[in-house]
Amino acid sequence: MTINRIELVQGDITKVKADAIVNAANTSLLGGGGVDGAIHRAGGKAILEECIKIRNRQGSCKTGEAVMTTAGDLPAKYVIHTVGPVYNDGKHGEDELLTSAYLNSLKLATENHVTTLAFPNISTGIYHFPKEKAAAIAIKTVKDYLADHFIVRQVIFVCFDDENYGIYKKLLKY
Ligand code: AR6
C-alpha cells in the first residue's frame, strides 16, 4: 500500500540516512541559504565540485528540473538537487513547477536505482510557497508516483519547522 511507503519525520535532512536526499536548490546550483546551505556545509566540497561540473556541461538547472550529485560527507549516498518555484501570486505556473520539482526528483531517483528518498519542504522557505498548498502538492505527487513505480520503495518527508510538520501530520493522518 502506498501509504506505508511514506514516512514523516521532523528534523534536519542532512542527518537522514536515505539512499538520496533532495535539496531545495536554486538555478545556479552553487548553494545558498536554508536547506541548500545546510546540505553544502555538512556534505563538504565534493558536492559543490560536482554541481560545478554539471553547470559546465548543461548550464543552469531550470526551475522544476533536477540533477544528481554525490552526497559527500553526508550519511546519504546521493543528493538530488531540484529547483522549486519562487511563489509570486499563484498565477505564474507555481503549482505545476512545484509538481515538476517533485516528479523530476522521483524520476531521477528511479533512473539511478534509489530505493529510499528524503524530501524537504521545497519552496516553503525563502521562496515563500504557501505551506499547506505546497504540502498537498508534494503528497499528491509522491502518492501518485509511488502507486505505479516500485524502484523507490520509500519516501521520507523531512519537515524542519513545526508548522510544516503539523500540516504534513494532518494531511497524511499520521
Ligand atoms: N533540513 C530540512 N529542512 C530544512 C533545513 C534542514 N537542515 N533547513 C531548512 N529547511 P528553503 P526554498 C526547510 O528556504 O524555499 C536557498 O537559498 C525550511 O524550513 O531552504 O525552496 C536556495 O539556494 C523550509 O520548510 O528553500 C534557493 O535560493 C524548507 O526547508 C532558495 O533558498 C525549504 O526552505 C530556495 O528556497
Side-chain angles (χ1 to χ4, degrees):
M1 219 167 79
T2 308
I3 199 72
N4 293 334
R5 294 165 64 199
I6 295 178
E7 195 184 328
L8 175 64
V9 300
Q10 184 169 20
D12 178 353
I13 203 165
T14 66
K15 307 266 196 286
V16 173
K17 208 178 157 197
D19 258 2
I21 63 167
V22 176
N23 180 18
N26 59 59
T27 55
S28 81
L29 294 176
L30 296 180
V35 68
D36 194 8
I39 286 173
H40 279 277
R41 264 194 312 278
K45 66 177 182 351
I47 299 178
L48 184 61
E49 281 167 9
E50 281 193 27
C51 283
I52 290 170
K53 278 191 196 143
I54 293 167
R55 268 173 64 98
N56 291 341
R57 213 165 49 228
Q58 68 163 55
S60 64
C61 181
K62 294 194 184 70
T63 304
E65 294 186 356
V67 301
M68 194 167 98
T69 67
T70 174
D73 302 329
L74 297 175
K77 283 190 223 140
Y78 308 108
V79 176
I80 290 177
H81 306 261
T82 191
V83 183
V86 175
Y87 196 85
N88 187 339
D89 55 3
K91 295 178 184 148
H92 289 77
E94 290 96 332
D95 291 11
E96 293 74 14
L97 289 166
L98 188 62
T99 302
S100 294
Y102 279 94
L103 201 53
N104 284 322
S105 300
L106 288 158
K107 286 181 182 164
L108 195 54
T110 297
E111 281 162 26
N112 289 282
H113 306 283
V114 164
T115 58
T116 51
L117 179 64
F119 279 105
N121 308 134
I122 301 166
S123 283
T124 67
I126 294 162
Y127 284 178
H128 290 298
F129 205 110
K131 290 180 178 174
E132 180 118 19
K133 192 153 101 145
I137 290 170
I139 291 168
K140 179 177 179 357
T141 308
V142 166
K143 270 192 187 166
D144 287 354
Y145 188 86
L146 291 182
D148 52 7
H149 294 83
F150 300 93
I151 289 179
V152 178
R153 274 192 288 105
Q154 194 181 37
V155 166
I156 308 161
F157 287 115
V158 183
C159 298
F160 192 66
D161 55 277
D162 294 342
E163 194 186 349
N164 264 316
Y165 185 60
I167 291 168
Y168 273 78
K169 240 164 83 173
K170 184 182 74 181
L171 294 182
L172 289 169
K173 301 184 177 58
Y174 217 69

